Amino acid sequence: MASWSPGTPCSCDCFVSVPPASAIPAVIFAKNSDRPRDEVQEVLFVPAGTHAPGSWLQCTYIEVEQVSKTHAVILSRPSWLWGAEMGANEHGVCIGNEAVWTKEPVGEGEALLGMDLLRLALERGSSAQEALHVITGLLERYGQGGSCREDPTPFCYHNTFLLADRTEAWVLETAGRLWAAQRIQEGARNISNQLSIGTDISTEHPELRPHARAQGWWDGQDNFDFARVFSLTQQPVRMEAAKARFQAGWELLQRQQGGITAEVMMGVLRNKESGICMDSGGFRTTASMVSILPRDPTQPCVHFLTATPDPSRSVFKPFIFGVGAAQVPQVMSPTFGAQDPVRTLPRFQTQVDRRHPLYRGHQVALGLMESEQDRGQQLRQKQRDLEQEGLEAVRGLLAGERAPPHQELGGLFRAFVEKENQAYA
């Protein structure tokens, strides 16, 4: 079993608001990706594709059988791996994942990372429910496992997922190949590095209850409470801390019931007092994402991504799938081919500089914010103004006040990345 230590990173927070909790007729999704503080997260655009029958796909550690067609996706991912911490596809499906430990042992054998499962689900699922079935099917066939950080010491975990589309959301929580899922058709919901599905299970692995009974975790008589039955009796310190973050996140959402907007979600992700905006123990929020998924299928879904750490000092920039959508080089990390430490065996024996251009500029800006008060305040104001410009453009678009050509929509993210880069120049 993979070892766990008090300093081991294991924090993330995902949120969703389904009408009537949202202020507008839209599902609103949000996630903070909390990872080792020096890990670089890039934003990757992958166009839709067609693939030859019988072809195979290389994920982070293992290959899986490829499907004939894959959807276009926008991903926020640790730049050393194949999968993603969070992302969306052209059909308005969003997914975020979380680390979790349960009574089921976590093996160190290489299989699919939870982040690989997330990307595969976005590439193959046209709804949240379909994406959930993709994950559970792949989990059954290939399993989950392998080290989840760029370090020679293995760090392994199982995963929970929050999946959303224009109409609903799903929480999927796993323990090895076993799983339980809960459908969210209204209201607000969050997940934070712990099992949270109790007795309200919408669907589950057919062997979930028989396995729990065989292990002596459930007597078969009491109501089956997934979180109670499968959670560790003695929780690691950081998982205990996750309970406080989960409660704080839930309270922040409840205070805004009926009035949740993208801006509200950004505020939640920036909340340092609760620990949701993380920076402790060599660990911090390395990237953030907020998505607006309108109920009206004629309106575009909008995905705001930072591509930089610490959302309280970052810019949420809008991305929309459109004709002009393409990879933005300023948020793409350098590649190292066969010499990449993740590709050479034994893995992760050396380190490489994965910082992309926007990350480098943002690092300089953060230094100035901390060391030069006047210059730092000017930069922070530029960030706020740029983000507000993006929010106003999106508001006008969704309100029908402005209908730019599809080519302009597809290039929106690139335009805002370039403006942010110029602000740091």
Side-chain angles (χ1 to χ4, degrees), residues 47-82:
T50 56
H51 310 281
S55 60
W56 287 75
L57 172 67
Q58 178 65 54
C59 299
T60 302
Y61 297 125
I62 69 167
E63 288 187 335
V64 300
E65 193 170 4
Q66 181 60 287
V67 294
S68 60
K69 292 183 179 181
T70 50
H71 309 312
V73 296
I74 188 75
L75 306 169
S76 186
R77 70 171 187 177
S79 56
W80 62 269
L81 51 78
W82 181 84

Side-chain angles (χ1 to χ4, degrees), residues 59-257:
C59 299
T60 302
Y61 297 125
I62 69 167
E63 288 187 335
V64 300
E65 193 170 4
Q66 181 60 287
V67 294
S68 60
K69 292 183 179 181
T70 50
H71 309 312
V73 296
I74 188 75
L75 306 169
S76 186
R77 70 171 187 177
S79 56
W80 62 269
L81 51 78
W82 181 84
E85 275 277 293
M86 51 201 171
N89 70 20
E90 61 184 307
H91 298 289
V93 180
C94 295
I95 312 177
N97 83 309
E98 312 262 338
V100 70
W101 290 263
T102 72
K103 290 175 182 174
E104 279 294 294
V106 177
E108 293 180 10
E110 293 183 346
L112 287 174
L113 296 179
M115 292 171 278
D116 293 337
L117 289 165
L118 186 154
R119 176 173 173 177
L120 288 162
L122 287 173
E123 290 187 342
R124 301 177 180 195
S126 58
S127 69
Q129 187 172 25
E130 191 173 302
L132 183 149
H133 291 152
V134 170
I135 292 174
T136 57
L138 291 166
L139 201 56
E140 187 70 24
R141 182 173 179 184
Y142 299 102
Q144 57 181 323
S147 186
C148 298
R149 68 176 173 184
E150 197 176 10
D151 191 276
T153 303
F155 171 57
C156 310
Y157 50 74
H158 292 158
N159 292 266
T160 66
F161 302 87
L162 183 59
L163 309 93
D165 59 26
R166 291 177 182 267
T167 61
E168 63 182 10
W170 286 82
V171 174
L172 170 63
E173 299 184 337
T174 73
R177 279 181 162 83
L178 303 175
W179 53 270
Q182 182 184 56
R183 191 177 197 174
I184 313 298
Q185 294 181 291
E186 62 177 24
R189 182 74 154 82
N190 60 311
I191 58 174
S192 298
N193 301 114
Q194 59 186 305
L195 299 180
S196 61
I197 298 175
T199 59
D200 186 9
I201 300 172
S202 303
T203 183
E204 64 190 66
H205 191 288
E207 295 300 316
L208 185 70
R209 300 186 197 212
H211 180 76
R213 193 166 184 180
Q215 295 295 317
W217 301 336
W218 178 56
D219 62 10
Q221 303 300 316
D222 293 339
N223 284 340
F224 184 78
D225 184 312
F226 175 66
R228 182 175 58 79
V229 170
F230 275 84
S231 291
L232 291 166
T233 306
Q234 297 232 333
Q235 300 277 11
V237 175
R238 274 195 178 272
M239 286 188 73
E240 287 293 338
K243 290 182 180 179
R245 282 200 339 275
F246 176 79
Q247 181 64 28
W250 184 84
E251 290 174 359
L252 288 167
L253 291 179
Q254 296 311 306
R255 287 177 204 160
Q256 299 285 346
Q257 279 276 9

